[in-house]
Amino acid sequence: MKKKMIFALLLSLIAGSVFPGPMVTPVQGAGEPAKQHSQAARPQTTPVHEMIIFNDYQVAGVGTDGLNWVKHNEFILPPKTPLDIDIVQTTYQARPQSPNQNSMQVFLDQRELPEFARETHGDTQQLRWQVPRFTIPDSQLSPGNHLLTFVVRDGSGRSSSVNVSFRVESEVYPLIFIGNPADKVQLAAGATDHIYGKSGSRSYYASVPGTWKLSFKENGRELLTGKNQTFQTGGLVQGVYELVFTPEDVNLWQWHATLHIGFVDLYQGEDASGQKLSPGQKITAEKAPSTVKLFAEVPGRWWVNGTGQTLTESRQFEVAIPEHLAGVTLAVQYTPEAADHSASTSVQIQVPGSVHACARTDGNVDMDILMRNNDKSSLQVERVNLSPTASTIKVYQHPIHEIWLATAADYLKQQDEDSEEGPGVWVVNNVVADAAKLNWDHTALELSKYGRGRHQVMYYSKNSPGESWCATVQIIEDSRPIPSDTSCDRLESGVVPPSAQMTLKGRGKTLTNGMTVTIQSERDWEAYETLELSATHAVMKGFQRRKLVKNSKSDLRTITFPDLVWETDTTRVGERVEYNGGLIASENRVEVLYNGTETIGMIAPTRRGEDGGRDEGEEAIALRSIIEQAGSKPGTYTVKVTNKLSYQSCALENYRKGKRKVIQTKDNVQTFTVNIVLP
């Protein structure tokens, strides 16, 4: 209402041909109307700007002498404020009875603004036009001095112009510091403050008193407020927040910034244009040997678990893939500079190729096994000079406390003898071991950190990659068995698993090994949406009890052992059945591959119970869900099932002048694949 009254008053003054000079009070403290600056006089027939108004403040007009006056540099526009402009301009007929035209052009700093060009027409001798208000957005008005030029033109090409200079104020914000102001870590308005990790907190300090508000960026929901120069966010979880500080000084602008809590984004490639990787994501190397390039948004520390590859203060990292690590998984760790381990993130690299079962010929290195039974005891040598073997090496400890596999026992215990093979790369269950599971110079592996069960261990010397070792070590949480006569007892040999084919069953459909199915319709999906596995597996029937000492009437002690049998029928996927003392065991795992290389889904045993026990896995393969989560891209999706059936074997072999028992665990590994094609 106020703007309309002021503008109406100005128009009434012009309509009465009274031009005593502008009497509008200047805005933004510009003071009283200053000296009027006249521009060139013009004949009565020359187009004229009668009035130019900025945000209801008149900056140009016509004096009683018919000349334009202009208030240069008197109008000051606040920051982030659009400029409303009102103009009254007049043109005259070039000759009687001829059409009259009144047009306008606007130039900002000598650059035309065509969006504001307009015109009107009439048949009167004097065409007076009150131009509709137009607005220059604040995004086009940067802080500093500016010049606006207004041109009025009639139909005969006669024109006149008025130049008006003005100034746009700069934003003045309070000073905000992260932590203590003495640290001089200033956070600019509109900036983003990063806290790396799953959670975090922050302290801020303002140079002037005011009010703080912390809210969720996504929905604006208020989380915390405060009124002081200091502000504590308290503990915050991973997410994006907005922090606003409103100073009590009205001459200062409201300050705001973004607080981002989370991990640094990693990319596969040389920059952020590559594939974005989520924490823990597994990618596949092209081949072995090769390199995989990784990129982080901020410089940081990189290292590859167990291999010795490291790099600091870098955004780019090239992971070298050695040929002898074909078939294993590498873990790459990244931590931003100046951040602690809690801010670390990692990705896994699957190296193409197959890891073959260990054999006596796999390597030329011997290993020692050492154990510590409790924190107060010292390391004791359990086994020495273990060569690579296809047999399972059994280690007993109850309870499991500390078990080491070392290249040289004396070096690990006393550091008084050099390890012959030196530091190495250790691979356990096809995954490179990280430094937390190795000793100070990577010459020994703390195998007990992997828990009970069987673990395939491979060692490659960093000094001489041709020197290696491979074997399966089974950690059994039990006392060492009592020695028996040189004969195989029935409890020392398990039943050999039957030979039976695996199948996958959908809704009314059965898939056999090597089949390919093309999904053409929703009905096809209904048949293969979920798949059940039918395979041979171990089943726990209960427990059996027998006397510890056979044929003894005085020693009535008994032992209890699990009663396990083989069955071939529907079984759960990702199931493991492996009980301490059991003579047979089974486990299966399912992997879903896209176009044969990219792993998009994995169902595998993830834990062992207190007694070895059973990992139940899942009822079926949710195939459609896995493919949809990967984007349902056209291509071939391979479902690979690996079913491992293990049994204990006992045999007698000639040894010196007699016989000795050789007890080992043998594995029958079955594989099964089907292809699902999305055209």
Side-chain angles (χ1 to χ4, degrees), residues 356 358-366 386-389 421 459-460 465-471:
H356 58 272
C358 297
R360 178 64 185 88
T361 57
D362 287 345
N364 47 8
V365 174
D366 290 336
L386 294 171
S387 300
T389 178
E421 289 76 26
Y459 163 88
Y460 301 96
E467 297 181 353
S468 61
W469 184 87
C470 180

PDB file of all heavy atoms in Angstrom, residues 356 358-366 386-389 421 459-460 465-471:
ATOM      1  N   HIS A 356      43.375 -72.859  -6.643  1.00  0.00           N
ATOM      2  CA  HIS A 356      43.315 -74.318  -6.602  1.00  0.00           C
ATOM      3  C   HIS A 356      43.551 -74.823  -5.185  1.00  0.00           C
ATOM      4  O   HIS A 356      44.095 -74.129  -4.341  1.00  0.00           O
ATOM      5  CB  HIS A 356      44.344 -74.915  -7.560  1.00  0.00           C
ATOM      6  CG  HIS A 356      45.756 -74.476  -7.271  1.00  0.00           C
ATOM      7  ND1 HIS A 356      46.316 -73.337  -7.806  1.00  0.00           N
ATOM      8  CD2 HIS A 356      46.696 -75.021  -6.479  1.00  0.00           C
ATOM      9  CE1 HIS A 356      47.552 -73.200  -7.376  1.00  0.00           C
ATOM     10  NE2 HIS A 356      47.808 -74.198  -6.567  1.00  0.00           N
ATOM     11  N   CYS A 358      45.183 -76.730  -2.068  1.00  0.00           N
ATOM     12  CA  CYS A 358      46.590 -76.836  -1.701  1.00  0.00           C
ATOM     13  C   CYS A 358      47.112 -78.242  -1.984  1.00  0.00           C
ATOM     14  O   CYS A 358      46.401 -79.240  -1.815  1.00  0.00           O
ATOM     15  CB  CYS A 358      46.773 -76.522  -0.222  1.00  0.00           C
ATOM     16  SG  CYS A 358      46.310 -74.828   0.206  1.00  0.00           S
ATOM     17  N   ALA A 359      48.371 -78.326  -2.390  1.00  0.00           N
ATOM     18  CA  ALA A 359      49.020 -79.611  -2.660  1.00  0.00           C
ATOM     19  C   ALA A 359      50.441 -79.563  -2.116  1.00  0.00           C
ATOM     20  O   ALA A 359      50.963 -78.489  -1.784  1.00  0.00           O
ATOM     21  CB  ALA A 359      49.024 -79.915  -4.158  1.00  0.00           C
ATOM     22  N   ARG A 360      51.058 -80.718  -2.019  1.00  0.00           N
ATOM     23  CA  ARG A 360      52.418 -80.786  -1.468  1.00  0.00           C
ATOM     24  C   ARG A 360      53.405 -79.985  -2.299  1.00  0.00           C
ATOM     25  O   ARG A 360      54.407 -79.482  -1.788  1.00  0.00           O
ATOM     26  CB  ARG A 360      52.867 -82.264  -1.410  1.00  0.00           C
ATOM     27  CG  ARG A 360      54.282 -82.465  -0.896  1.00  0.00           C
ATOM     28  CD  ARG A 360      54.416 -82.003   0.540  1.00  0.00           C
ATOM     29  NE  ARG A 360      55.788 -82.063   1.025  1.00  0.00           N
ATOM     30  CZ  ARG A 360      56.664 -81.085   0.895  1.00  0.00           C
ATOM     31  NH1 ARG A 360      56.319 -79.953   0.297  1.00  0.00           N
ATOM     32  NH2 ARG A 360      57.884 -81.219   1.387  1.00  0.00           N
ATOM     33  N   THR A 361      53.117 -79.846  -3.582  1.00  0.00           N
ATOM     34  CA  THR A 361      54.041 -79.138  -4.463  1.00  0.00           C
ATOM     35  C   THR A 361      53.836 -77.628  -4.449  1.00  0.00           C
ATOM     36  O   THR A 361      54.558 -76.905  -5.132  1.00  0.00           O
ATOM     37  CB  THR A 361      53.871 -79.642  -5.907  1.00  0.00           C
ATOM     38  OG1 THR A 361      52.493 -79.462  -6.301  1.00  0.00           O
ATOM     39  CG2 THR A 361      54.230 -81.117  -5.995  1.00  0.00           C
ATOM     40  N   ASP A 362      52.813 -77.146  -3.696  1.00  0.00           N
ATOM     41  CA  ASP A 362      52.520 -75.706  -3.670  1.00  0.00           C
ATOM     42  C   ASP A 362      53.440 -74.992  -2.699  1.00  0.00           C
ATOM     43  O   ASP A 362      53.066 -74.688  -1.566  1.00  0.00           O
ATOM     44  CB  ASP A 362      51.059 -75.460  -3.279  1.00  0.00           C
ATOM     45  CG  ASP A 362      50.111 -75.821  -4.401  1.00  0.00           C
ATOM     46  OD1 ASP A 362      50.598 -75.970  -5.533  1.00  0.00           O
ATOM     47  OD2 ASP A 362      48.916 -75.958  -4.136  1.00  0.00           O
ATOM     48  N   GLY A 363      54.660 -74.747  -3.095  1.00  0.00           N
ATOM     49  CA  GLY A 363      55.552 -73.934  -2.291  1.00  0.00           C
ATOM     50  C   GLY A 363      56.780 -74.666  -1.826  1.00  0.00           C
ATOM     51  O   GLY A 363      56.906 -75.888  -1.923  1.00  0.00           O
ATOM     52  N   ASN A 364      57.704 -73.871  -1.290  1.00  0.00           N
ATOM     53  CA  ASN A 364      58.976 -74.391  -0.817  1.00  0.00           C
ATOM     54  C   ASN A 364      59.332 -73.796   0.540  1.00  0.00           C
ATOM     55  O   ASN A 364      60.491 -73.628   0.880  1.00  0.00           O
ATOM     56  CB  ASN A 364      60.081 -74.085  -1.833  1.00  0.00           C
ATOM     57  CG  ASN A 364      60.023 -72.622  -2.284  1.00  0.00           C
ATOM     58  OD1 ASN A 364      59.270 -71.828  -1.724  1.00  0.00           O
ATOM     59  ND2 ASN A 364      60.824 -72.287  -3.285  1.00  0.00           N
ATOM     60  N   VAL A 365      58.313 -73.440   1.308  1.00  0.00           N
ATOM     61  CA  VAL A 365      58.502 -72.812   2.612  1.00  0.00           C
ATOM     62  C   VAL A 365      57.918 -73.725   3.677  1.00  0.00           C
ATOM     63  O   VAL A 365      56.896 -74.388   3.454  1.00  0.00           O
ATOM     64  CB  VAL A 365      57.809 -71.429   2.658  1.00  0.00           C
ATOM     65  CG1 VAL A 365      57.878 -70.828   4.054  1.00  0.00           C
ATOM     66  CG2 VAL A 365      58.438 -70.486   1.640  1.00  0.00           C
ATOM     67  N   ASP A 366      58.551 -73.776   4.842  1.00  0.00           N
ATOM     68  CA  ASP A 366      58.021 -74.512   5.990  1.00  0.00           C
ATOM     69  C   ASP A 366      57.468 -73.527   7.013  1.00  0.00           C
ATOM     70  O   ASP A 366      57.947 -72.391   7.131  1.00  0.00           O
ATOM     71  CB  ASP A 366      59.118 -75.362   6.651  1.00  0.00           C
ATOM     72  CG  ASP A 366      59.530 -76.527   5.761  1.00  0.00           C
ATOM     73  OD1 ASP A 366      58.713 -76.933   4.924  1.00  0.00           O
ATOM     74  OD2 ASP A 366      60.665 -77.011   5.909  1.00  0.00           O
ATOM     75  N   LEU A 386      56.335 -77.430   9.100  1.00  0.00           N
ATOM     76  CA  LEU A 386      55.170 -77.937   8.376  1.00  0.00           C
ATOM     77  C   LEU A 386      55.300 -77.564   6.909  1.00  0.00           C
ATOM     78  O   LEU A 386      55.352 -76.382   6.547  1.00  0.00           O
ATOM     79  CB  LEU A 386      53.885 -77.348   8.964  1.00  0.00           C
ATOM     80  CG  LEU A 386      53.548 -77.769  10.401  1.00  0.00           C
ATOM     81  CD1 LEU A 386      52.385 -76.939  10.925  1.00  0.00           C
ATOM     82  CD2 LEU A 386      53.223 -79.255  10.459  1.00  0.00           C
ATOM     83  N   SER A 387      55.337 -78.549   6.059  1.00  0.00           N
ATOM     84  CA  SER A 387      55.453 -78.314   4.625  1.00  0.00           C
ATOM     85  C   SER A 387      54.070 -78.084   4.027  1.00  0.00           C
ATOM     86  O   SER A 387      53.050 -78.444   4.626  1.00  0.00           O
ATOM     87  CB  SER A 387      56.108 -79.524   3.945  1.00  0.00           C
ATOM     88  OG  SER A 387      57.393 -79.761   4.465  1.00  0.00           O
ATOM     89  N   PRO A 388      54.009 -77.491   2.843  1.00  0.00           N
ATOM     90  CA  PRO A 388      52.717 -77.384   2.155  1.00  0.00           C
ATOM     91  C   PRO A 388      52.100 -78.763   1.998  1.00  0.00           C
ATOM     92  O   PRO A 388      52.800 -79.743   1.725  1.00  0.00           O
ATOM     93  CB  PRO A 388      53.082 -76.765   0.800  1.00  0.00           C
ATOM     94  CG  PRO A 388      54.374 -76.053   1.046  1.00  0.00           C
ATOM     95  CD  PRO A 388      55.104 -76.861   2.065  1.00  0.00           C
ATOM     96  N   THR A 389      50.797 -78.862   2.160  1.00  0.00           N
ATOM     97  CA  THR A 389      50.158 -80.164   2.139  1.00  0.00           C
ATOM     98  C   THR A 389      48.718 -80.059   1.680  1.00  0.00           C
ATOM     99  O   THR A 389      48.069 -79.014   1.848  1.00  0.00           O
ATOM    100  CB  THR A 389      50.201 -80.818   3.538  1.00  0.00           C
ATOM    101  OG1 THR A 389      49.534 -82.078   3.503  1.00  0.00           O
ATOM    102  CG2 THR A 389      49.524 -79.929   4.567  1.00  0.00           C
ATOM    103  N   GLU A 421      62.266 -66.592   5.333  1.00  0.00           N
ATOM    104  CA  GLU A 421      61.468 -66.141   4.193  1.00  0.00           C
ATOM    105  C   GLU A 421      61.121 -64.656   4.276  1.00  0.00           C
ATOM    106  O   GLU A 421      60.805 -64.032   3.286  1.00  0.00           O
ATOM    107  CB  GLU A 421      60.175 -66.961   4.091  1.00  0.00           C
ATOM    108  CG  GLU A 421      60.398 -68.389   3.640  1.00  0.00           C
ATOM    109  CD  GLU A 421      60.956 -69.267   4.760  1.00  0.00           C
ATOM    110  OE1 GLU A 421      60.714 -68.955   5.929  1.00  0.00           O
ATOM    111  OE2 GLU A 421      61.648 -70.255   4.450  1.00  0.00           O
ATOM    112  N   TYR A 459      50.667 -68.308   1.823  1.00  0.00           N
ATOM    113  CA  TYR A 459      51.711 -67.326   2.142  1.00  0.00           C
ATOM    114  C   TYR A 459      52.581 -67.118   0.916  1.00  0.00           C
ATOM    115  O   TYR A 459      52.985 -68.086   0.255  1.00  0.00           O
ATOM    116  CB  TYR A 459      52.559 -67.818   3.320  1.00  0.00           C
ATOM    117  CG  TYR A 459      53.883 -67.095   3.479  1.00  0.00           C
ATOM    118  CD1 TYR A 459      53.985 -65.933   4.235  1.00  0.00           C
ATOM    119  CD2 TYR A 459      55.032 -67.586   2.856  1.00  0.00           C
ATOM    120  CE1 TYR A 459      55.203 -65.276   4.378  1.00  0.00           C
ATOM    121  CE2 TYR A 459      56.252 -66.943   2.992  1.00  0.00           C
ATOM    122  CZ  TYR A 459      56.334 -65.790   3.750  1.00  0.00           C
ATOM    123  OH  TYR A 459      57.531 -65.133   3.873  1.00  0.00           O
ATOM    124  N   TYR A 460      52.851 -65.822   0.603  1.00  0.00           N
ATOM    125  CA  TYR A 460      53.763 -65.472  -0.489  1.00  0.00           C
ATOM    126  C   TYR A 460      54.797 -64.497   0.065  1.00  0.00           C
ATOM    127  O   TYR A 460      54.446 -63.457   0.620  1.00  0.00           O
ATOM    128  CB  TYR A 460      53.019 -64.818  -1.653  1.00  0.00           C
ATOM    129  CG  TYR A 460      51.932 -65.675  -2.244  1.00  0.00           C
ATOM    130  CD1 TYR A 460      50.606 -65.523  -1.836  1.00  0.00           C
ATOM    131  CD2 TYR A 460      52.216 -66.632  -3.205  1.00  0.00           C
ATOM    132  CE1 TYR A 460      49.596 -66.306  -2.371  1.00  0.00           C
ATOM    133  CE2 TYR A 460      51.213 -67.424  -3.748  1.00  0.00           C
ATOM    134  CZ  TYR A 460      49.910 -67.255  -3.323  1.00  0.00           C
ATOM    135  OH  TYR A 460      48.912 -68.025  -3.854  1.00  0.00           O
ATOM    136  N   PRO A 465      58.672 -63.556  -4.267  1.00  0.00           N
ATOM    137  CA  PRO A 465      57.311 -64.071  -4.502  1.00  0.00           C
ATOM    138  C   PRO A 465      57.272 -65.526  -4.910  1.00  0.00           C
ATOM    139  O   PRO A 465      56.250 -66.191  -4.772  1.00  0.00           O
ATOM    140  CB  PRO A 465      56.801 -63.157  -5.628  1.00  0.00           C
ATOM    141  CG  PRO A 465      57.590 -61.906  -5.493  1.00  0.00           C
ATOM    142  CD  PRO A 465      58.957 -62.328  -5.022  1.00  0.00           C
ATOM    143  N   GLY A 466      58.378 -66.087  -5.414  1.00  0.00           N
ATOM    144  CA  GLY A 466      58.392 -67.501  -5.780  1.00  0.00           C
ATOM    145  C   GLY A 466      58.363 -68.412  -4.576  1.00  0.00           C
ATOM    146  O   GLY A 466      58.077 -69.610  -4.707  1.00  0.00           O
ATOM    147  N   GLU A 467      58.668 -67.908  -3.391  1.00  0.00           N
ATOM    148  CA  GLU A 467      58.644 -68.710  -2.174  1.00  0.00           C
ATOM    149  C   GLU A 467      57.253 -68.611  -1.558  1.00  0.00           C
ATOM    150  O   GLU A 467      56.774 -67.511  -1.260  1.00  0.00           O
ATOM    151  CB  GLU A 467      59.714 -68.230  -1.194  1.00  0.00           C
ATOM    152  CG  GLU A 467      61.128 -68.380  -1.736  1.00  0.00           C
ATOM    153  CD  GLU A 467      62.174 -67.912  -0.740  1.00  0.00           C
ATOM    154  OE1 GLU A 467      61.777 -67.350   0.300  1.00  0.00           O
ATOM    155  OE2 GLU A 467      63.366 -68.113  -0.997  1.00  0.00           O
ATOM    156  N   SER A 468      56.603 -69.762  -1.342  1.00  0.00           N
ATOM    157  CA  SER A 468      55.219 -69.751  -0.881  1.00  0.00           C
ATOM    158  C   SER A 468      54.929 -70.976  -0.042  1.00  0.00           C
ATOM    159  O   SER A 468      55.741 -71.904   0.064  1.00  0.00           O
ATOM    160  CB  SER A 468      54.265 -69.682  -2.075  1.00  0.00           C
ATOM    161  OG  SER A 468      54.430 -70.813  -2.912  1.00  0.00           O
ATOM    162  N   TRP A 469      53.702 -70.962   0.552  1.00  0.00           N
ATOM    163  CA  TRP A 469      53.243 -72.075   1.390  1.00  0.00           C
ATOM    164  C   TRP A 469      51.730 -72.134   1.311  1.00  0.00           C
ATOM    165  O   TRP A 469      51.060 -71.096   1.217  1.00  0.00           O
ATOM    166  CB  TRP A 469      53.688 -71.865   2.829  1.00  0.00           C
ATOM    167  CG  TRP A 469      53.366 -72.996   3.776  1.00  0.00           C
ATOM    168  CD1 TRP A 469      54.133 -74.098   4.013  1.00  0.00           C
ATOM    169  CD2 TRP A 469      52.218 -73.116   4.618  1.00  0.00           C
ATOM    170  NE1 TRP A 469      53.539 -74.908   4.954  1.00  0.00           N
ATOM    171  CE2 TRP A 469      52.348 -74.323   5.349  1.00  0.00           C
ATOM    172  CE3 TRP A 469      51.093 -72.333   4.820  1.00  0.00           C
ATOM    173  CZ2 TRP A 469      51.406 -74.750   6.254  1.00  0.00           C
ATOM    174  CZ3 TRP A 469      50.148 -72.757   5.726  1.00  0.00           C
ATOM    175  CH2 TRP A 469      50.305 -73.952   6.447  1.00  0.00           C
ATOM    176  N   CYS A 470      51.164 -73.341   1.348  1.00  0.00           N
ATOM    177  CA  CYS A 470      49.715 -73.470   1.267  1.00  0.00           C
ATOM    178  C   CYS A 470      49.281 -74.723   2.012  1.00  0.00           C
ATOM    179  O   CYS A 470      49.891 -75.783   1.865  1.00  0.00           O
ATOM    180  CB  CYS A 470      49.262 -73.550  -0.194  1.00  0.00           C
ATOM    181  SG  CYS A 470      47.476 -73.714  -0.421  1.00  0.00           S
ATOM    182  N   ALA A 471      48.238 -74.572   2.844  1.00  0.00           N
ATOM    183  CA  ALA A 471      47.664 -75.713   3.550  1.00  0.00           C
ATOM    184  C   ALA A 471      46.352 -75.277   4.186  1.00  0.00           C
ATOM    185  O   ALA A 471      46.066 -74.078   4.310  1.00  0.00           O
ATOM    186  CB  ALA A 471      48.621 -76.252   4.617  1.00  0.00           C
TER     187      ALA A 471
END
